[in-house]
Amino acid sequence: MISTADVIGLVYYEARLLDEHRFDEWLALFAPDGRYWMPLEHGQTDRRLTASLMDEDLFLLRLRVERLKGNRTYSQKPKSRCHHVLQQPRVDIFDPDTDRYATWTAMHYLETRLDQQDLYAAWATHELAVIDGSLRIRMKRVDLVNCDAAFGSIQLFI
């Protein structure tokens, strides 16, 4: 039986996996049809008809992880590091009857490499489902507060 503590715990666990570069374990949190979406516009409702900063299915997420782990990824020598600071996730949907769970989390995200350090403020929405007895991410949406700004290269995952 899934509890609200399980739902909140998954969000914290996901952030820890990313901070510790445990990308294969992070990928395992996604459902087979899982997506990672970062809208380009504030309040964007459609990821297909409007450009996005990121809109990746599990295949593309795996490619990105393989690139991050690769020895020939010169843009990652030395490797980028990150740190997530999360407010407690708010459970917006908790409906075991329809297998729908969703959270909303305000966060700050820091990414650093060499002398460069970038700070992003964001809201993350996780849409979750139970698959084979475990919570999995169906959609992770990251809305950057300044989504319409010019960005350098975000190397890791917010």
Side-chain angles (χ1 to χ4, degrees):
M1 186 74 163
I2 301 296
S3 69
T4 56
D6 295 327
V7 172
I8 291 169
L10 181 116
V11 175
Y12 284 129
Y13 182 59
E14 183 212 17
R16 180 178 179 179
L17 292 176
L18 291 171
D19 287 350
E20 295 178 354
H21 287 205
R22 294 162 55 188
F23 298 124
D24 291 322
E25 291 172 75
W26 175 71
L27 284 172
L29 294 179
F30 280 83
D33 62 346
R35 294 197 78 81
Y36 182 100
W37 180 34
M38 190 180 299
L40 178 62
E41 298 177 359
H42 180 72
Q44 184 174 334
T45 58
D46 193 311
R47 63 180 179 76
R48 293 181 185 98
L49 298 177
T50 306
S52 299
L53 293 168
M54 295 173 82
D55 182 13
E56 300 184 353
D57 62 9
L58 199 53
F59 175 77
L60 290 174
L61 291 173
R62 281 192 185 109
L63 282 178
R64 184 182 294 263
V65 164
E66 289 305 313
R67 181 187 65 81
L68 288 170
K69 294 185 329 185
N71 289 329
R72 293 186 176 197
T73 308
Y74 298 107
S75 67
Q76 283 297 292
K77 291 191 186 292
K79 294 195 178 291
S80 297
R81 293 184 303 276
C82 67
H83 179 66
H84 291 77
V85 180
L86 311 179
Q87 287 186 0
Q88 178 168 325
R90 180 177 149 206
V91 178
D92 286 340
I93 299 172
F94 187 87
D95 190 349
D97 294 334
T98 61
D99 192 31
R100 292 187 60 228
Y101 309 89
T103 63
W104 179 90
T105 309
M107 72 166 76
H108 287 172
Y109 169 80
L110 179 86
E111 188 171 293
T112 184
R113 185 174 165 274
L114 296 171
D115 292 336
Q116 177 149 349
Q117 185 166 286
D118 298 310
L119 177 66
Y120 301 94
W123 303 284
T125 304
H126 288 77
E127 295 176 15
L128 310 171
V130 176
I131 298 173
D132 296 328
S134 298
L135 279 171
R136 295 289 178 250
I137 300 168
R138 279 244 156 93
M139 168 71 79
K140 180 178 181 180
R141 175 183 173 142
V142 177
D143 289 277
L144 295 175
V145 173
N146 63 335
C147 58
D148 45 6
F151 292 105
S153 179
I154 300 172
Q155 293 291 317
L156 303 176
F157 301 97
I158 296 178

